[in-house]
Amino acid sequence: MQYSYYPGCSLEATGVEYNLSTRAVAGALGVELVELPGWTCCGSSSAHAVNKDLALGLAAHNIALAQEQGRDLVVPCSACYTCLSKADHQMRHDPGERARGEMLAGFSYTGEIQIYSFLEVVRVQVGMERVAQTVRRPLTGLKLACYYGCLLVRPPEVRPFDRAEDPTSLDELAAALGAEPVSWCYKTTCCGAGLSLTRPEVVEQLVARLLSAAREAGADALVSACPLCQNNLEMRRPAQEDIPVFYFTELMGLAFGLGEAPGWLKKHLVDPFPLLQRFSLVG
Amino acid sequence: MATATLHLPAGAITVDAAFREEVARLSGQPLELCFQCQKCASGCYPTQEGDYTPNEIMRLVQYGARDAVLGSRTIWLCTSCETCGLRCPNGIRIAEVMDTLKQMAAARGIAPAGETGPLFHNLFLSEIRAAGRVHETMLMLKYKLKTGNLFADMKLGWQLFRRGKLPLVPRLKKDPAVRRIFERAGGQE
């Protein structure tokens, strides 16, 4: 399995451990990720808020690059995945939008390239059975609140790989790694990451509610599939709150017994090692 | 199009049907179908701090209350999480409407006092225009300098930097293709 890989701006900075763990885990599963040459910012949370043409044009440009490579595109960041898959959906289903995207990005849209989140690749292309077979150190006893965030599975017509109100793919993955996914109601509730710099006082309330809900549900940690969520849940939490937030790829790396996993985990603002030592998952 | 005055509990507002039609056209959403069931508002956490709930924004758009809507705090608190549109029984993508309202307010330079959302978005897009990608370290610094709030989050920034999460030298290169997209999109930052 060979894909073009779009890391996105966050995975080169605040989400660097998501980048490293995604590449390592893909390798362990036999999924080849080839970084998309010349990729540029998708426009993320800002383009759609102030300029409709930029939102479509910046995403379409990267779809054009992927088309040149002739491989389906894998996008780990939920925000990038949203921009790119929305633009692709617009161009695929609306001739007017297709013409607009082609004009803005200066290319001819063929629709040959599919856009996947990495979680989608794991679930649909690799399969949980294969994941379970790759596990060397099962995460036995670890109770996880799977936090999908708002963007990963919405809107449903754009990304039908999981349910929009009650998604299950991360829960299935947690189980395949030997952990116990807990039942809770905040799987897709927005953490407010887009307001983290401009309205931190609003975001702090959202984050506090999410983390305490995860604790109430009996979770030892949260699992995230988005660099904006993961950072936001660490940066804007109440001072006394120390429940860790992992990327799903980091937990896969730990369960697969990959030697580089502790290096990723050292980059977290909230130290996850005490928890992992309690479950004999590191050291 | 004619304007009129509508007297609401919050005071008198000027209404303009042309505004409703413009929002419907730009967002592509069937605004007239909103019947105020409030499912959007009940699932909307971020805008709880705003001046209107999402269904109230929809009603004000239906009225044609241009100034009240474009000057509201709520539109900038919307994170486009899509919960509202997912639950809307009439299939209105309210996040698309919120985006349209933000775009209209930004194009006219309208923002409530103290709202730094438009500034953040402009800095973000300037980074893309200049370098093709967003350098998070520079974006955070520029935002802090512009808002004069340099010391808030200083400790946080240091913690991120120490963990190698705020690189000083990014992997960027100027990209003429990105410049051209900005030019075709009207040159707006």
Side-chain angles (χ1 to χ4, degrees), chain A residues 215 237-243:
Chain A
R215 270 200 193 281
R237 62 175 51 201
Q240 73 283 2
E241 179 57 81
D242 65 352
I243 187 166

Side-chain angles (χ1 to χ4, degrees), chain A residues 4-15:
Chain A
S4 283
Y5 178 66
Y6 180 94
C9 305
S10 287
L11 268 71
E12 299 205 319
T14 49

